[in-house]
Amino acid sequence: MARYIFITGGVVSSLGKGLMAASLAALLQARGYRVRIRKFDPYLNVDPGTMSPYQHGEVYVTDDGAETDLDLGHYERFTGVPSRQSDNVTSGRIYQTVIQRERRGDYLGATVQVIPHVTDAIKAFALGETDDLDFVLCEIGGTVGDIESLPFIEAVRQLRNDLGRENSVFVHVTLVPYIAAAGELKTKPTQHSVRELTALGIQPDVLVCRCEKPLPDSERAKIALFCNVRKEAVVPALDAKSIYGVPLQYHAEGLDREVLRAFGQDPGPASPALGRWTDIMDRLDNPEGEVTIGVVGKYVGLPDAYKSLHEALVHGGIANRVKVNIKWLDAELFEHEDEAAAKLEPMHGILVPGGFGERGSEGKIASVKFARERNVPFFGICLGMQMACIEGARNVAGIARASTTEFGPTDEPVVGLITEWMTEEGLQKREAGGDLGGTMRLGAYPAALKGNSVVESIYGAREISERHRHRYEVNVHYRDALEKGGLLFTGMSPDGTLPEIVERPDHPWFIGVQFHPELKSKPFDPHPLFASFVEAAVKQSRLV
């Protein structure tokens, strides 16, 4: 039977519950346990798929096509365990499920209420698909005291009784602020947060205290006394230089040992196998060079909108033992080629990421042209690949009016909405006027790579599977014209109808992909495309 670790947060949001959950899971995994992490999100959206990146950050897509919270990216990057649809649920999805059951008559005419119907649905989600696991970590979004999270708090309170104390542990992440005028760390917010949680029927077993100064022994003892936990179970959590140092930091403070003790287990004298984390930090702390990558995007004002992309570039640096400096460049600021050149001149590599909508598109196309003409390594992802195809059509293939139907009617739809394609599961269809999520190609799809291509040499394989999140596809009818201009289609869907990868073999490094490789990159297993791209940027840095 799987044992459960329920993770709550108090005082303020953005304390790093997701990173703490991912780090704890990595530590348990390093001790030989099988783990999975789940996220309860209190908002009423069914999923984050239609939310603005400025509201929610990036949408993380799983192999099975779920649009989920960005914390699931942390979970995968730290554990290597692929996330699933069943690992993220929102209040909206819970209420949608309950209302659908009520409409079908599943409740046999009973009055439908938050308790027990909503809480039962939450509990069913938490308990599903866990037979092969040792530990399930469940992170509850939001802050204790928020009205939105109350059904989730009540559901996990009930689960403690259902599972038994020997099979469930509560970890509460809280803030110990430093008041500069007093020169002191203050424990009162933590005391109030734990009191709020206790009033809801949950006594935390372990407290993780975020603080910007070292937590004195006396203050740990004070927190333990007022919050009814062991002093050793008050775990300080100071800021780390890199998120990949957090597992080592938590282990040094005893987090994994205290969680196991809370389960009644003796962690023993043996340390977990943390070699890969020490190697990652050695590479980050002792780089042998550095490169600058310009990311030309639409949402650059909020780096969380490109969270997985940022991390994948860091992973590329880890693979090459170099520091990657990322310059976030607003595509709208250089709609003209001269402006683009001035901004891009110092870059050792240029990346145009995914996105939706016309805003900034001409700046992205100008960036592609700069990279192509100046022989600067270029990486186009999703919309970035589409912009590379439009740039190639306009400036090399002579199709001056090339565009995408995403931006409106066009005489030359180099990119358009494809409504049917064939997969192993059969014919897939989508409707132009359907729900936003329903018109997308979501999740993992296979692709066949052309022999002797650049991408085949990078992947070391002829068949790959990558995750998608997009509505529009490059129009295969323009393939001949684009290939005559040197932009080769070297990755296609198995039925040959959907272009997946384009490249310019006569360029130092010029690759566009329709999928999102950043979603599968990990610090201990960098995605080969990012490792190769950063390697090309290193070579470029030696030329300038």
Side-chain angles (χ1 to χ4, degrees):
M1 178 182 179
R3 287 162 287 185
Y4 281 76
I5 301 169
F6 299 109
I7 298 162
T8 55
V11 184
V12 295
S13 60
S14 301
L15 286 179
K17 294 194 303 296
L19 276 176
M20 194 284 295
S23 299
L24 175 57
L27 292 174
L28 294 171
Q29 196 178 53
R31 289 180 178 272
Y33 295 108
R34 296 163 299 174
V35 301
R36 180 166 287 282
I37 319 178
R38 290 185 163 160
K39 177 73 182 289
F40 302 79
D41 275 314
Y43 50 76
L44 286 173
N45 304 69
V46 174
D47 61 42
T50 57
M51 295 171 71
S52 166
Y54 290 116
Q55 285 275 319
H56 192 265
E58 79 167 359
V59 174
Y60 190 79
V61 178
T62 60
D63 278 339
D64 58 4
E67 295 179 284
T68 68
D69 184 79
L70 63 80
D71 273 338
L72 271 74
H74 291 313
Y75 304 163
E76 277 204 38
R77 284 188 285 273
F78 278 66
T79 66
V81 177
S83 296
R84 304 182 293 215
Q85 174 91 39
S86 57
D87 291 329
N88 188 202
V89 74
T90 68
S91 289
R93 195 165 127 215
I94 292 292
Y95 279 102
Q96 183 184 60
T97 299
V98 170
I99 291 169
Q100 287 172 344
R101 289 174 180 169
E102 185 272 334
R103 292 289 84 189
R104 288 197 306 263
D106 292 359
Y107 298 120
L108 304 177
T111 301
V112 179
Q113 298 175 295
V114 173
I115 304 173
H117 301 100
V118 170
T119 52
D120 281 353
I122 295 170
K123 287 157 65 177
F125 160 77
L127 297 171
E129 302 179 32
T130 60
D131 291 341
D132 60 341
L133 301 173
D134 296 310
F135 290 101
V136 180
L137 292 79
C138 297
E139 177 197 347
I140 300 173
T143 306
V144 168
D146 294 345
I147 192 169
E148 295 93 344
S149 62
L150 288 176
F152 292 101
I153 298 292
E154 171 61 19
V156 299
R157 183 198 69 79
Q158 293 177 22
L159 277 170
R160 159 62 69 92
N161 294 328
D162 297 344
L163 297 167
R165 291 185 176 271
E166 69 279 6
N167 292 315
S168 57
V169 159
F170 287 100
V171 178
H172 189 54
V173 184
T174 183
L175 177 68
V176 181
Y178 177 74
I179 306 300
E184 292 179 337
L185 289 165
K186 293 296 184 180
T187 66
K188 193 63 70 178
T190 292
Q191 296 176 39
H192 284 302
S193 179
V194 172
R195 185 178 303 161
E196 181 92 26
L197 188 59
T198 305
L200 297 173
I202 293 174
Q203 167 62 49
D205 302 290
V206 177
L207 292 177
V208 174
C209 298
R210 286 297 310 275
C211 42
E212 57 183 285
K213 302 279 186 180
L215 189 63
D217 202 56
S218 60
E219 298 305 294
R220 289 182 72 177
K222 183 177 180 181
I223 291 171
L225 177 65
F226 282 96
C227 297
N228 198 30
V229 298
R230 298 169 64 250
K231 176 184 166 186
E232 294 77 12
V234 178
V235 179
L238 277 73
D239 292 343
K241 289 189 296 182
S242 165
I243 62 173
Y244 302 117
V246 173
L248 297 172
Q249 192 168 302
Y250 274 130
H251 174 66
E253 296 291 354
L255 176 62
D256 49 326
R257 294 191 296 274
E258 287 307 313
V259 168
L260 290 174
R261 286 196 181 105
F263 279 109
Q265 292 184 235
D266 182 1
S271 295
L274 296 173
R276 71 182 181 184
W277 294 104
T278 55
D279 178 59
I280 288 166
M281 288 309 301
D282 179 61
R283 288 170 175 267
L284 289 172
D285 290 339
N286 303 291
E288 296 175 355
E290 60 182 75
V291 296
T292 302
I293 304 295
V295 178
V296 183
K298 179 179 177 180
Y299 311 111
V300 293
L302 181 70
D304 270 358
Y306 300 111
K307 187 61 179 176
S308 291
L309 181 68
H310 176 279
E311 298 309 319
L313 286 168
V314 172
H315 304 163
I318 291 171
N320 290 278
R321 208 178 185 103
V322 296
K323 179 183 179 183
V324 177
N325 300 308
I326 303 173
K327 298 297 183 183
W328 302 99
L329 304 173
D330 188 343
E332 283 190 284
L333 298 182
F334 45 96
E335 294 286 342
H336 301 291
E337 292 181 18
D338 291 344
E339 296 168 343
K343 293 282 188 181
L344 297 174
E345 195 75 49
M347 305 302 152
H348 304 127
I350 297 167
L351 191 153
V352 176
F356 298 93
E358 186 175 7
R359 181 164 60 86
S361 60
E362 292 302 321
K364 295 172 186 177
I365 291 170
S367 303
V368 178
K369 184 178 181 183
F370 177 91
R372 177 179 57 80
E373 293 183 338
R374 302 290 189 92
N375 285 328
V376 178
F378 170 79
F379 196 179
I381 295 176
C382 196
L383 183 65
M385 168 181 157
Q386 296 172 6
M387 296 297 99
C389 290
I390 290 173
E391 191 279 331
R394 289 181 184 177
N395 300 319
V396 182
I399 308 172
R401 298 172 64 85
S403 188
T404 167
T405 57
E406 181 177 2
F407 304 159
T410 175
D411 296 333
E412 299 286 359
V414 172
V415 178
L417 182 68
I418 309 300
T419 57
E420 294 185 4
W421 68 93
M422 186 63 67
T423 67
E424 293 178 355
E425 290 75 32
L427 185 66
Q428 303 293 311
K429 295 183 178 182
R430 54 183 165 186
E431 298 176 4
D435 290 343
L436 290 180
T439 62
M440 280 205 245
R441 187 150 67 106
L442 282 168
Y445 285 86
L449 306 187
K450 184 178 179 180
N452 299 317
S453 62
V454 175
V455 288
E456 188 211 19
S457 67
I458 291 172
Y459 275 100
R462 292 290 295 275
E463 294 182 0
I464 61 170
S465 176
E466 294 281 5
R467 298 178 189 174
H468 295 64
R469 183 177 184 254
H470 58 95
R471 297 186 184 92
Y472 294 84
E473 312 275 355
V474 173
N475 190 337
V476 74
H477 295 112
Y478 287 86
R479 178 174 183 171
D480 289 344
L482 290 170
E483 290 198 330
K484 286 177 182 176
L487 187 63
L488 305 187
F489 286 46
T490 52
M492 299 291 294
S493 60
D495 66 353
T497 61
L498 302 179
E500 294 279 9
I501 304 175
V502 296
E503 64 181 57
R504 290 190 179 277
D506 59 347
H507 189 280
W509 206 99
F510 191 108
I511 292 174
V513 299
Q514 185 58 77
F515 45 83
H516 289 270
E518 69 271 22
L519 299 177
K520 296 179 74 170
S521 188
K522 302 168 186 65
F524 45 81
D525 185 21
H527 193 284
L529 286 174
F530 281 92
S532 179
F533 176 56
V534 172
E535 181 184 18
V538 172
K539 294 176 182 177
Q540 180 74 12
S541 70
R542 294 169 182 161
L543 296 175
V544 296

